[in-house]
Amino acid sequence: MSLKDLRGKSAIVGVGQAGIGEARGFSAMEILAQAATRAVADAGLTMRDIDGLATCSSAASMWALPVAEYLGLRPQFIDSTMLGGSSFIAHLMPAMMALESGQCTAVLVCYGSTQKTGTFSRKGMTEAFRLVDPLPYEHPYQPMLPPTAYALAASRHMHEFGTTREQLAEVAVAARRWAQLNPEAYMRDPLSIDDVLGSRMISTPLTVRDCCLVTDGAGAFVLMRADRARAQRQKPVYVLGNATAVWNRQISSMENLTVTSASESGRRAFEMAGLKPSDVDVVGLYDAFTINTLLFLEDLGFCKKGEAGPFVENGGIAPGGRLPVNTNGGGLSCVHPGMYGIFLVIEAVRQLRGECGERQVPDAKIALAHGNGGTLSSQSTALFGLEETL
Amino acid sequence: MTHELPPSASAAPAGPDAVFQDYLAQGEFRIQQCGSCARHLFYPRVLCPHCGGTQLSWRQASGKGTVYACSVVMGKPGTDSDYAVVLVDLEEGARMMSHVIGCDQHAVKIGMPLRARIMERDGKPLVVFEPANGGMP
């Protein structure tokens, strides 16, 4: 059996979100459970039908345990691999194998965080990480992580390819223009390139508007074997390809700051799907920082290395541009609760189902979702398609 | 597995992290070189990340380096507390994060030649850099 044999063998049958933006008064587990309940109901299933679980948390290292307990699950398949924000895309492959082997029949992939309104703030978490996950060769130099790591990559991209701060700002402006078409997005007020350039500098060359939001939010989806998926109430969204790559943890250990392991995860995912970038109708790229979108457009093959700056100019990835990227508004303008990967999957599913209202990409049949974790450390690419693409 | 220990280090066995620190405490900036593939590596490890070799020896670093990437972390406005975080490519081929001292932090640029210094911070020796050749590439 080869990975290509798994192409289209599993499908997402339900998605759900909860607590997007601010979930004051709710815990992370509560909004996770709300999102999970919605995803299961969307699939036309009940929680009793769920016999596989994939979840992880930035805060709790045994997170699958309380999630199984809270939801009342007795899963036969459990994956709590924690790769940072890309995790929920990376959870696809083991889940597909578990479904195909018969280990389980319905996998719930879920995540929730209240880092904005919760008592355990992002600041508290950063301080805790310094103790439990030390970086002895970086921390003494006080990089403001994660922004400084991405800023270092941006400095290198600008140096090598002449990429400009205006081109980085284009990414944030495009995300905001998509967010303005999405009633669920957290930030929807107008944003111009000058606004981005003129906002508070955090770690050169990145301003606060080059950085993702800090919000609450929960997301969930349900994956089933394709033959079972066809019997559910929603139009199945098939997984055509998925691959994950990790080359380093620390930004200082990255061999080339302008080539991420997305170049590998993307190549492998496209190979499994038998597709190429020009086949993709709607694209989701983990935009924790504006530089991410440029790096991933290049590494995934939507343009040549070094050419993403010009690619995004003049609204290239905004509504009406040459390629629809981050149509929900992305981590920059829609939602970013610490780890964003699951929302990339949910938006891909909604676009392929044609549920996206004003921001709907017409006739979308193939979607790409690309997750990033750590500081450009883990990369996971997924390709999704409708029945006609099988 | 064997590690070469610095001559004046305590007799107690120590991993590469501790050996690196011991050298720094003696005023020496040493990095490891792989006996199998001859490449230098940083940070210190028990095996070579390039080839998996375990015969690593401690070499005196030349201290020469070049800024590979740079970001200035912005402090509170008006406090003069901005500082550059750099990735430095060492002459030997390894890369490390560091600071550049003794110059305007906003003047630190990619390509700038540097030389290493060991300074004490928070009671521990730390490798930092200062501009070499007056900072001109």
Side-chain angles (χ1 to χ4, degrees), chain A residues 137-138 140-143 148 151-152 155-156 159 201-204 250-257, chain B residues 17 20 42-44 68-74 83 85 87 95-99 110 121 126-127:
Chain A
Y137 296 94
E138 289 198 348
Y141 303 106
Q142 299 170 285
T148 299
L152 287 165
S155 81
R156 198 65 212 173
H159 176 79
M201 188 63 79
I202 299 287
S203 192
T204 63
Q250 304 175 97
I251 198 75
S252 53
S253 292
M254 196 164 158
E255 194 171 297
N256 180 343
L257 258 58
Chain B
D17 276 338
F20 177 70
F42 193 87
Y43 49 91
Y68 170 72
C70 174
S71 175
V72 180
V73 178
M74 305 300 281
Y83 59 94
V85 174
L87 298 182
R95 182 177 297 155
M96 65 184 293
M97 185 174 280
S98 196
H99 282 163
I110 289 173
R121 193 178 290 172
L126 188 68
V127 177

Side-chain angles (χ1 to χ4, degrees), chain B residues 96-124:
Chain B
M96 65 184 293
M97 185 174 280
S98 196
H99 282 163
V100 182
I101 61 167
C103 70
D104 173 6
Q105 295 296 283
H106 288 274
V108 178
K109 295 281 182 287
I110 289 173
M112 194 176 188
L114 304 170
R115 63 172 168 262
R117 265 190 54 182
I118 301 170
M119 66 178 283
E120 192 173 300
R121 193 178 290 172
D122 301 326
K124 280 170 126 178

Side-chain angles (χ1 to χ4, degrees), chain A residues 140-304:
Chain A
Y141 303 106
Q142 299 170 285
M144 185 196 281
L145 292 176
T148 299
Y150 291 88
L152 287 165
S155 81
R156 198 65 212 173
H157 205 276
M158 293 167 82
H159 176 79
E160 286 185 30
F161 306 118
T163 306
T164 64
R165 284 191 57 212
E166 286 76 8
Q167 290 167 338
L168 290 169
E170 283 270 8
V171 173
V173 169
R176 184 60 58 88
R177 285 185 54 205
W178 283 111
Q180 288 176 315
L181 302 178
N182 178 8
E184 285 181 288
Y186 185 64
M187 289 195 86
R188 305 185 67 205
D189 47 324
L191 183 74
S192 69
I193 288 177
D194 284 344
D195 291 338
V196 178
L197 297 179
S199 62
R200 182 166 55 93
M201 188 63 79
I202 299 287
S203 192
T204 63
L206 304 180
T207 72
V208 67
R209 291 275 81 87
D210 285 292
C211 304
C212 64
L213 305 174
V214 175
T215 68
D216 300 336
F221 64 86
V222 179
L223 192 74
M224 295 184 89
R225 222 169 61 201
D227 54 340
R228 293 175 190 267
R230 289 184 189 101
Q232 303 307 314
R233 58 187 283 263
Q234 293 285 5
K235 185 157 65 174
V237 170
Y238 298 90
V239 186
L240 304 179
N242 177 225
T244 300
V246 175
W247 292 348
N248 60 284
R249 155 75 157 103
Q250 304 175 97
I251 198 75
S252 53
S253 292
M254 196 164 158
E255 194 171 297
N256 180 343
L257 258 58
T258 63
V259 181
T260 75
S261 59
S263 56
E264 180 193 330
S265 68
R267 179 181 52 74
R268 287 200 266 121
F270 274 115
E271 193 176 292
M272 173 176 165
L275 296 169
K276 53 191 186 304
S278 58
D279 296 321
V280 180
D281 301 308
V282 56
V283 176
L285 306 175
Y286 196 120
D287 55 343
F289 299 88
T290 49
I291 183 66
N292 295 35
T293 305
L294 300 187
L295 288 169
F296 300 150
L297 282 169
E298 295 169 358
D299 287 341
L300 297 173
F302 291 101
C303 63
K304 285 189 185 144

Side-chain angles (χ1 to χ4, degrees), chain A residues 51-52 75-78 94-95 97-106 225:
Chain A
D51 59 1
Q76 302 181 90
F77 164 76
I78 303 164
M97 290 177 169
L99 290 167
E100 194 60 15
S101 72
Q103 186 181 356
C104 63
T105 58
R225 222 169 61 201

Side-chain angles (χ1 to χ4, degrees), chain B residues 47-59:
Chain B
L47 81 170
C48 172
H50 305 295
C51 75
T54 54
Q55 296 304 311
L56 307 178
S57 52
W58 290 95
R59 304 289 184 196

